[in-house]
Amino acid sequence: MFPRRSPGLTWRLTAFAILGLAIASAPAAEPAVLPVIDSIMVDKSLRRLYLIKDGETVRTFPIALGLAPRGHKMREGDYRTPEGDYHISGRKPDSSFMLALQISYPNESDRLRAEQAEVPAGGLIMVHGRPIRPTNGRDRNYYSTRDWTDGCIAVSNAAMLEIWMMTRIGTPITIKP
């Protein structure tokens, strides 16, 4: 003997079968076209990154910053995220993070400030996703709840994929306190 099915189960199975047929026979949707943006604005105090096209914000993403997020980056190893006007100077698909866009830090004034203080300015400041392999026993949730970078701007991996597709080398990026 076969077990008796409840009327509710039979109805749900039938509904799922009909839904599956409807989806399979529906015309394919046009893929979404992402715009190439004009600029990026980062607001460190709000922990937000904005993608801007024609003066309008088209995407907003939460961010994590360097371990010492307040103030402008003064030297290598200070764990600060720089402030000021820069541009995207490189694309790194093979990063240990989910993609990375290099920021043109240090600029001329950053180099001059570091030179006058007789310290190295540092470099390799990026906008990037989360680590491909979490380190130091950290789970994936660690990266979504605190500032954790050495001075970079970090976003979720899904956000990084969108940012990657919508930016080009030379895209201006302004980082506000």
Side-chain angles (χ1 to χ4, degrees), residues 76-89:
E76 182 176 4
D78 65 7
Y79 296 103
R80 291 184 179 169
T81 301
E83 298 169 356
D85 295 320
Y86 302 95
H87 64 273
I88 300 302
S89 59

Side-chain angles (χ1 to χ4, degrees), residues 3-13:
R4 189 166 175 241
R5 287 192 188 142
S6 71
L9 178 61
T10 301
W11 181 87
R12 280 183 259 162
L13 290 173

Side-chain angles (χ1 to χ4, degrees), residues 62-121:
I63 60 172
L65 299 169
L67 292 168
R70 291 197 179 141
H72 179 59
K73 185 166 193 62
M74 302 302 286
R75 61 178 175 77
E76 182 176 4
D78 65 7
Y79 296 103
R80 291 184 179 169
T81 301
E83 298 169 356
D85 295 320
Y86 302 95
H87 64 273
I88 300 302
S89 59
R91 296 168 69 85
K92 190 164 176 43
D94 60 344
S95 170
S96 57
F97 302 97
M98 172 65 174
L99 304 173
L101 296 172
Q102 187 165 353
I103 297 173
S104 62
Y105 175 88
N107 61 25
E108 190 59 38
S109 63
D110 297 321
R111 280 189 284 279
L112 183 58
R113 185 183 306 110
E115 187 178 298
Q116 289 173 345
E118 298 180 356
V119 295

Side-chain angles (χ1 to χ4, degrees), residues 115-128:
E115 187 178 298
Q116 289 173 345
E118 298 180 356
V119 295
L124 293 178
I125 300 297
M126 311 268 183
V127 175
H128 60 68

Side-chain angles (χ1 to χ4, degrees), residues 43-86:
D43 188 318
K44 288 171 55 173
S45 65
L46 295 177
R47 300 295 193 282
R48 293 283 181 267
L49 180 145
Y50 303 90
L51 300 182
I52 301 164
K53 172 79 173 165
D54 298 326
E56 299 289 323
T57 299
V58 295
R59 297 281 196 283
T60 303
F61 303 105
I63 60 172
L65 299 169
L67 292 168
R70 291 197 179 141
H72 179 59
K73 185 166 193 62
M74 302 302 286
R75 61 178 175 77
E76 182 176 4
D78 65 7
Y79 296 103
R80 291 184 179 169
T81 301
E83 298 169 356
D85 295 320
Y86 302 95

